[in-house]
């Protein structure tokens, strides 16, 4: 799930970068790239994977 969110963040960041626009001072292509990298890191860490410990 976090990989999909990261892909969407990267897509919006790419569109912002190509268009040369930003939404205010907070939502820029750099901010979206950082958010995307955070989601990729969480995905690689296994957060949200839905695993559970083995039950005996």
């Amino acid at each position: 799930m976090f990989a999909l969110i990261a892909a969407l963040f990267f897509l919006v960041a790419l569109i912002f970068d190509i268009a040369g626009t930003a939404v205010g001072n907070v939502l820029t292509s750099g901010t979206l790239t950082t958010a995307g990298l955070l989601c990729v890191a969480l995905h690689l860490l296994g957060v949200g994977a839905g695993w559970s410990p083995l039950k005996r």
Side-chain angles (χ1 to χ4, degrees):
M1 184 57 136
F2 280 110
L4 178 64
I5 294 169
L8 292 175
F9 278 145
F10 288 138
L11 176 66
V12 173
L14 178 65
I15 292 171
F16 278 8
D17 195 34
I18 290 173
T21 61
V23 179
N25 291 331
V26 176
L27 194 59
T28 63
S29 63
T31 306
L32 291 171
T33 302
T34 303
L37 289 172
L38 174 66
C39 288
V40 168
L42 289 173
H43 173 73
L44 291 175
L45 187 64
V47 175
W51 66 274
S52 63
L54 295 174
K55 296 179 183 177
R56 293 184 182 198

